[in-house]
Amino acid sequence: MPGYSPQQIEKKWQAHWKTNSTFRADNSSEKPKYYVLDMFPYPSGAGLHVGHPLGYIASDIVARYKRLRGFNVLHPMGFDSFGLPAEQYAIQTGQHPEKTTRENIARYIEQLSALGFSYDWSREVRTSDPSYYKWTQWIFLKLFNSWYNLDTDRAEPLKTLLEKFDQNGSEGIRAAGDEEERHSFTSGQWKMFTEKQRLQAVHPYRLAYQQDTYVNWCPGLGTVLSNDEVKDGLSERGGFPVERRLMPQWNLRITAYADRLLQGLDSLDWSEAVKEMQRNWIGKSIGAEVTFQVKDHEQAQIKVYTTRVDTIYGATFLVLAPEHELVQELTTPAQQAAVQDYIDATKRRSERDRMADTKTVSGAFTGSYALNPFSQEPVQIWIADYVLAGYGTGAVMAVPSGDQRDYVFAKHFGLPIVPVTDAQNIEEQADPTKEGRYINSDLINGLTYQEATQKLIQELEARGIGKGKTNFRIRDAIFGRQRYWGEPIPIYYKDGVAYGVAEADLPLVLPEIDEYKPTETGEPPLGRAKDWKYKGQYEYELSTMPGWAGSSWYYLRYMDPHNTERFVGQEAEQYWQNVDLYLGGAEHATGHLLYSRFWHLFLKDLGLVTANEPFQKLINQGMILGRSNFVYRLDHGGLTNSTEDKMDYSTPSIFISSSFKNSLTGISDSRLKDALNKLATKLSEQTGYNIRLHPVDYKNTNNVDDYVTPLHVDVNIVENEVLDLEAFKKWREEYATAEFILEDNDTYICGVEVEKMSKSKYNVVSPDVLIDRYGADALRLYEMFLGPLEQYKPWNTNGMSGVAGFLKKLWRLYHPQDGDFAVTEEAAASQELKALHKAIKKVEEDIEKFSFNTTVSALMITVNELTALDCHKRAVLEPLVVLLSPYAPHLAEELWVALGHAAGSISEASYPKFREEYLVEDTVNYPVAINGKVRETLQFAATATAQEIEAAVRASDFLPRFAEGKEPKKFIVVPGRMVNVVV
């Protein structure tokens, strides 16, 4: 029989699993349930690289292990298939995004299947499938038709709100949201309202509502972008300028759930880092809202929120967000130009950039003043981009003595800095401490922090100029995108008022359009749809949902993906409840993970789900970093024949091997000419031409380093840092005539650097190539072997050969010398059983704590031990196959059948039981010392007592050889450890 051939074995078992639906999960079972889920991928045209499967391999190991432990395992896969990349490709090519997406998904499925994942493919979902997004639209309508009752602290259908309006009008209603957006009315007025008036009165209470909102508007893409899609004022995709713009947008009232989202974190088995990111994003703070009257503007008031109302006497200026509604009104003619310039500059920065930039000091004075509500002292009103319109009131009272940012701002612009406590030292920086007693603070002079805070809040409320208030940093989630390739928002407009599409009319399917870009009049792409109206007469909402809409609930759809009557069947949801183990990137902490928790809590309020949280345990896998290779191009400025001085700038590129580049590092001045001459001689010898190199004219330097440019090269044409020269010449047209300065052994050695995998760095390694060469089992093992799952780790294809060698060695335990199957029924020896049960214990412990890299090490050690023992016994090798199966499932299936079991049945096997007695040693080696100095090691029975060990030492020749004739005074025996003889 031939040796181990993973390519044949793996294709066979992948076909078997598919044909027999081996990993199909049941929605009811007497077994305990276990739901393990990967964050599903967006299917890009590039397909998977080796960094992508890391989390998928880990989750698959857990899924297969849990099946062996007797669980009914749900392990599904699907695709987050709406998104901007497919739309941009459609704009460029005219090809429908659905076609691009379908082709990309087919490629992903092919690659995922080749890796042998135990997915239940019968449950696959795609967010762009109308049968799926029907229910995304349905959930949106539930949000649209619900409000948040602060008295019951949960969402309720609008019916309960309308009943309150009918009985008492708006009086006494406590609802989440902005009270200032709502109008007061009596029960009688409500009953007299027209339909339009009623809908307008209800709209500010809805959990899905429309409002003028500042957004990241990208004219180049014709759409709103999330903060994650903007970097340094440019769109992440395409690099187009992005500006802040006030636009009517659909929003989801996630702020209603802020406190519950905070409290729920305590019940989750997530890393503290991710939980802390969510806590900071939600940003709960307890303080006061204060009203500042604008001087000489009787109707103008500025509300600020502060957590340090005790420092209000030290508020020497106010800062408004550049987008604040009062900026234009308060800007004096003399300041108009400066303020407008500042506003224009701010529009080009994303909120995230503004929040992150703590070093830049900038602002513009409006020319107006406000009055300190307690001291009545005038304070200047400025605008600055570190204040955000959507956070709090869009205005802050600046207390430079107690806040470092305010301190730096005041120093920069020459504004007053007033100490407010007798403990403050503000000579060089702000002092935010709460020590000492208050000074320069009239009403609270001499009081402590607690006393001052309580007194000022009482005064604010008594005077009607403020109140105590709990605030949150989190803002409502912008829900609209001006794109085509997304879920249509199921809203239509009648008489200018938004109505929800009837649930019976869902899904609202994306219409066909002629182009995928905004209309000539600036409407979203859906404005191009012809005759697209509800009931043939009402205009639809033209925005689509953001990418995170479909991913906020997909874990529920996996439970019951083919249900046409409900988003998830009640029995299925009650059985699976939530995800037991979720694997994905920490970068989703304040996006997908937060939105999913919000949607789940909302569905829980409506009685549609039973679990309190969607994802009970979360593991964030680290990133596999690419191993980039570099070639070094010599910027020679052209070549000349030694007999002429004519420069030929059309001559080929010259690449110098890594060792030459390194040896020339730092050479300068007078040695430059010699160095270049040496390179010319080397090149002349290799090419047969007599060549001289000339320094590059445009480089004002005498450093050889500055004449060498490192360039990324495709790692797939490099092996062990040696460049395939012919492949390199074919890789890029401009390198077809390249010349090389090679090593003495006629190879070109590339440079190396570890960095993020990226197509632009040509360091992306396709799993397809490695599977073809080494097999999927080897790739699975190697990715786990690289290091702890949560850590970043560099990729090095060279390491694959070692893991492949391990699998061949394992194969030979069952097929000695790669011959016929030769497992015997002979009883196992104690050392063989010891090796097996050490592995059973170690593998079980490591998988339970998700330490996959150490498991691979343990399996390698076990195979080495069994090979040394020449073990070919079923009693050892059959349990070993089961241990291996979560990691290398194809090889395990092949060996399982060879051991006499039914094809494909290893996932139904029982996990081997660990037996402690096989690890108990028969004998123990004792170091034996004289007066603390070890002289020899003697072996005794593991059960020997101290008296028996002492007698044995006395009876041996140990004392005559080492005691120098002295009589022993005392024997000290530490059981299992050592013996010390005192003489």
Side-chain angles (χ1 to χ4, degrees):
M1 180 177 178
Y4 172 51
S5 177
Q7 292 76 13
Q8 294 178 11
I9 290 173
E10 290 171 1
K11 285 184 172 61
K12 177 177 79 173
W13 288 109
Q14 288 160 16
H16 178 93
W17 296 332
K18 182 177 180 181
T19 301
N20 294 277
S21 300
T22 302
F23 307 113
R24 185 186 292 269
D26 295 323
N27 279 353
S28 60
S29 173
E30 294 181 357
K31 298 178 180 179
K33 71 95 179 179
Y34 194 83
Y35 185 176
V36 56
L37 182 63
D38 304 299
M39 289 187 187
F40 66 169
Y42 175 82
S44 71
L48 297 172
H49 62 63
V50 293
H52 291 127
L54 180 68
Y56 303 158
I57 296 169
S59 69
D60 194 60
I61 289 169
V62 174
R64 289 176 178 274
Y65 168 75
K66 288 294 184 179
R67 290 189 189 97
L68 296 174
R69 299 309 301 251
F71 286 83
N72 179 29
V73 176
L74 174 56
H75 187 35
M77 175 51 74
F79 300 95
D80 190 8
S81 49
F82 274 132
L84 189 55
E87 180 154 343
Q88 283 303 107
Y89 187 73
I91 291 171
Q92 295 165 8
T93 64
Q95 179 172 287
H96 198 291
E98 190 278 332
K99 182 176 185 297
T100 308
T101 301
R102 180 167 24 91
E103 291 170 352
N104 292 346
I105 287 175
R107 171 81 176 119
Y108 265 60
I109 290 176
E110 178 186 15
Q111 289 185 296
L112 292 168
S113 299
L115 281 158
F117 296 134
S118 61
Y119 294 131
D120 180 353
W121 282 108
S122 70
R123 295 174 183 257
E124 179 198 343
V125 300
R126 304 180 183 188
T127 57
S128 58
D129 188 327
S131 66
Y132 179 87
Y133 70 71
K134 165 186 177 177
W135 297 107
T136 309
Q137 293 171 334
W138 180 83
I139 294 171
F140 172 84
L141 288 176
K142 293 295 182 187
L143 286 157
F144 180 69
N145 291 312
S146 297
W147 68 296
Y148 199 92
N149 187 342
L150 293 175
D151 288 331
T152 60
D153 198 23
R154 66 182 180 89
E156 297 178 3
L158 283 178
K159 177 185 175 184
T160 63
L161 177 66
L162 301 183
E163 288 172 351
K164 292 177 181 292
F165 286 166
D166 202 52
Q167 294 172 4
N168 300 305
S170 60
E171 185 180 353
I173 293 177
R174 297 178 64 250
D178 189 347
E179 297 175 5
E180 295 183 2
E181 293 289 323
R182 298 166 183 160
H183 303 291
S184 297
F185 49 84
T186 65
S187 171
Q189 290 172 319
W190 167 256
K191 292 172 182 176
M192 296 293 292
F193 281 171
T194 64
E195 179 184 18
K196 180 177 181 178
Q197 288 173 321
R198 287 190 172 201
L199 289 172
Q200 289 173 330
V202 167
H203 193 79
Y205 292 85
R206 296 182 187 272
L207 290 183
Y209 65 96
Q210 198 174 36
Q211 186 181 62
D212 285 346
T213 306
Y214 278 99
V215 296
N216 300 316
W217 172 250
C218 180
L221 295 175
T223 187
V224 168
L225 299 177
S226 68
N227 284 329
D228 291 334
E229 296 168 320
V230 181
K231 184 172 179 60
D232 298 327
L234 301 175
S235 62
E236 189 175 47
R237 178 162 291 274
F240 298 105
V242 177
E243 63 183 53
R244 298 290 292 167
R245 181 181 291 187
L246 192 64
M247 296 177 65
Q249 283 292 319
W250 283 95
N251 295 266
L252 299 188
R253 208 179 296 280
I254 190 174
T255 50
Y257 287 86
D259 218 17
R260 288 169 64 186
L261 288 168
L262 270 178
Q263 294 170 18
L265 289 171
D266 295 335
S267 68
L268 298 178
D269 186 5
W270 294 12
S271 73
E272 276 304 312
V274 171
K275 291 200 280 190
E276 194 61 21
M277 279 191 273
Q278 288 206 357
R279 289 188 187 105
N280 291 337
W281 190 260
I282 295 167
K284 183 177 181 179
S285 60
I286 299 173
E289 189 175 81
V290 184
T291 301
F292 282 72
Q293 178 65 47
V294 178
K295 186 179 179 183
D296 301 326
H297 289 71
E298 289 187 10
Q299 301 304 314
Q301 294 180 331
I302 297 173
K303 287 187 177 181
V304 303
Y305 175 79
T306 177
T307 58
R308 292 295 306 272
V309 69
D310 59 299
T311 65
I312 195 165
Y313 284 95
T316 57
F317 58 100
L318 296 184
V319 184
L320 308 184
E323 306 91 344
H324 195 285
E325 59 185 6
L326 288 178
V327 170
Q328 293 302 329
E329 179 183 344
L330 300 183
T331 301
T332 62
Q335 299 300 120
Q336 188 65 48
V339 167
Q340 190 58 52
D341 287 346
Y342 192 83
I343 290 172
D344 292 341
T346 301
K347 286 180 179 179
R348 296 189 289 271
R349 304 189 71 198
S350 72
E351 283 193 357
R352 180 161 292 182
D353 289 341
R354 289 162 59 179
M355 292 168 67
D357 185 3
T358 58
K359 296 181 179 179
T360 305
V361 182
S362 66
F365 178 41
T366 65
S368 292
Y369 294 78
L371 298 175
N372 186 304
F374 284 104
S375 70
Q376 294 300 300
E377 289 291 325
V379 294
Q380 293 184 7
I381 303 173
W382 285 68
I383 64 170
D385 63 5
Y386 72 84
V387 180
L388 305 177
Y391 175 54
T393 64
V396 299
M397 68 174 205
V399 183
S401 63
D403 180 273
Q404 186 60 24
R405 194 161 205 171
D406 296 342
Y407 185 91
V408 173
F409 193 95
K411 283 286 188 182
H412 185 81
F413 291 108
L415 299 170
I417 302 176
V418 177
V420 291
T421 76
D422 56 14
Q424 282 185 322
N425 179 6
I426 56 173
E427 290 299 318
E428 297 181 359
Q429 62 183 13
D431 182 354
T433 59
K434 301 170 183 177
E435 306 300 325
R437 295 181 180 270
Y438 290 87
I439 60 174
N440 301 321
S441 299
D442 190 21
L443 194 64
I444 57 170
N445 278 337
L447 299 184
T448 63
Y449 166 74
Q450 294 289 350
E451 295 167 341
T453 300
Q454 183 177 1
K455 184 174 183 64
L456 287 172
I457 289 177
Q458 290 173 348
E459 282 294 318
L460 287 172
E461 294 175 350
R463 299 184 190 186
I465 55 173
K467 60 183 178 180
K469 187 177 182 180
T470 298
N471 208 13
F472 294 90
R473 180 179 293 112
I474 191 173
R475 281 154 290 158
D476 285 341
I478 298 172
F479 198 66
R481 300 289 187 269
Q482 286 62 52
R483 303 174 186 165
Y484 172 75
W485 193 233
E487 301 93 335
I489 296 177
I491 292 291
Y492 67 93
Y493 296 92
K494 185 173 74 172
D495 196 17
V497 176
Y499 288 76
V501 169
E503 291 181 7
D505 293 329
L506 298 178
L508 173 56
V509 179
L510 272 174
E512 295 295 327
I513 57 177
D514 57 350
E515 290 185 89
Y516 304 103
K517 58 185 181 182
T519 68
E520 288 73 13
T521 56
E523 291 179 315
L526 287 182
R528 296 178 176 276
K530 295 180 179 178
D531 303 319
W532 191 55
K533 295 183 177 181
Y534 188 57
K535 305 294 186 183
Q537 57 181 322
Y538 302 117
E539 298 290 340
Y540 280 118
E541 168 62 48
L542 298 181
S543 296
T544 52
M545 297 185 193
W548 54 264
S551 63
S552 291
W553 72 281
Y554 77 112
Y555 63 94
L556 291 168
R557 190 62 179 172
Y558 280 140
M559 297 177 184
D560 196 14
H562 307 297
N563 193 322
T564 58
E565 303 300 321
R566 208 171 184 271
F567 75 113
V568 57
Q570 285 182 290
E571 291 184 4
E573 190 278 329
Q574 288 170 6
Y575 176 73
W576 294 110
Q577 292 195 16
N578 63 0
V579 177
D580 296 285
L581 174 64
Y582 197 30
L583 280 94
E587 68 272 15
H588 299 290
T590 57
H592 159 66
L593 289 169
L594 194 61
Y595 296 139
S596 295
R597 296 183 61 221
F598 160 44
W599 278 38
H600 193 92
L601 285 172
F602 167 71
L603 294 171
K604 170 83 171 176
D605 284 350
L606 296 192
L608 298 171
V609 297
T610 51
N612 292 321
E613 290 280 348
F615 316 119
Q616 188 55 42
K617 181 172 182 61
L618 172 72
I619 294 179
N620 302 119
Q621 80 271 13
M623 184 184 296
I624 288 183
L625 300 172
R627 184 180 174 86
S628 298
N629 284 119
F630 295 86
V631 290
Y632 299 101
R633 186 181 65 202
L634 184 65
D635 295 336
H636 52 73
L639 307 181
T640 63
N641 188 283
S642 61
T643 61
E644 301 177 15
D645 265 342
K646 293 181 180 178
M647 300 289 280
D648 180 4
Y649 288 95
S650 65
T651 51
S653 299
I654 300 173
F655 293 94
I656 64 174
S657 187
S658 179
S659 68
F660 288 99
K661 184 263 181 188
N662 294 338
S663 67
L664 294 171
T665 297
I667 294 179
S668 60
D669 302 330
S670 61
R671 298 177 61 193
L672 175 61
K673 185 177 179 180
D674 290 340
L676 292 176
N677 285 336
K678 287 180 181 178
L679 290 177
T681 301
K682 182 78 176 177
L683 184 60
S684 298
E685 290 172 355
Q686 293 181 182
T687 62
Y689 293 96
N690 194 13
I691 294 171
R692 288 186 303 174
L693 299 180
H694 289 258
V696 182
D697 297 333
Y698 60 83
K699 294 205 175 192
N700 183 23
T701 178
N702 284 324
N703 248 320
V704 168
D705 266 357
D706 295 326
Y707 292 90
V708 177
T709 300
L711 300 171
H712 283 91
V713 63
D714 187 350
V715 296
N716 294 294
I717 58 175
V718 179
E719 185 168 358
N720 290 323
E721 288 25 290
V722 177
L723 179 67
D724 184 331
L725 299 178
E726 292 306 313
F728 178 73
K729 289 181 177 182
K730 295 175 183 177
W731 178 51
R732 300 273 289 272
E733 184 179 350
E734 64 265 35
Y735 298 153
T737 60
E739 296 289 351
F740 305 90
I741 298 179
L742 304 174
E743 305 290 332
D744 291 339
N745 62 357
D746 292 332
T747 60
Y748 186 98
I749 305 299
C750 295
V752 180
E753 187 173 322
V754 174
E755 52 190 348
K756 182 179 179 181
M757 273 198 183
S758 166
K759 288 187 293 182
S760 66
K761 302 181 191 304
Y762 304 109
N763 64 355
V764 170
V765 179
S766 169
D768 306 19
V769 174
L770 298 178
I771 290 171
D772 288 343
R773 186 183 302 175
Y774 300 104
D777 284 342
L779 180 57
R780 291 167 62 109
L781 281 164
Y782 183 58
E783 293 220 5
M784 293 297 97
F785 186 59
L786 283 173
L789 181 63
E790 296 91 343
Q791 292 183 8
Y792 282 39
K793 33 207 169 281
W795 178 264
N796 185 354
T797 299
N798 301 334
M800 284 287 298
S801 58
V803 176
F806 156 68
L807 291 176
K808 290 176 182 177
K809 183 179 283 189
L810 175 79
W811 173 266
R812 291 177 188 133
L813 289 174
Y814 302 80
H815 299 85
Q817 289 79 49
D818 289 334
D820 292 335
F821 184 75
V823 173
T824 73
E825 303 299 325
E826 186 182 352
S830 61
Q831 287 301 104
E832 295 167 336
L833 291 170
K834 178 182 176 182
L836 170 67
H837 283 269
K838 278 196 304 182
I840 293 172
K841 185 174 189 288
K842 178 65 173 171
V843 171
E844 180 178 356
E845 289 174 350
D846 286 353
I847 292 183
E848 290 288 354
K849 61 185 181 184
F850 309 103
S851 180
F852 305 107
N853 60 312
T854 51
T855 302
V856 178
S857 299
L859 289 170
M860 288 178 171
I861 291 169
T862 302
V863 169
N864 286 338
E865 289 178 348
L866 294 177
T867 299
L869 293 168
D870 197 25
C871 176
H872 305 291
K873 300 167 184 174
R874 176 185 294 274
V876 174
L877 298 188
E878 187 166 281
L880 182 63
V881 172
V882 180
L883 287 185
L884 176 77
S885 63
Y887 288 82
H890 307 89
L891 177 55
E893 290 277 20
E894 187 74 9
L895 295 175
W896 192 246
V897 170
L899 286 162
H901 300 283
S905 65
I906 194 168
S907 60
E908 299 170 6
S910 296
Y911 191 80
K913 292 183 179 179
F914 167 66
R915 294 177 60 179
E916 181 74 41
E917 61 265 30
Y918 289 127
L919 300 191
V920 175
E921 300 283 355
D922 294 331
T923 60
V924 178
N925 291 324
Y926 279 80
V928 184
I930 296 285
N931 292 339
K933 185 175 182 179
V934 175
R935 298 290 189 174
E936 192 171 43
T937 298
L938 299 177
Q939 192 176 79
F940 302 102
T943 56
T945 64
Q947 292 79 8
E948 291 170 338
I949 291 172
E950 179 179 342
V953 172
R954 286 181 180 276
S956 71
D957 63 351
F958 177 80
L959 290 173
R961 285 191 293 131
F962 298 109
E964 299 177 352
K966 298 176 182 178
E967 286 297 316
K969 297 179 180 178
K970 187 177 183 181
F971 272 78
I972 301 170
V973 178
V974 181
R977 297 284 300 279
M978 69 170 294
V979 178
N980 184 34
V981 183
V982 180
V983 297

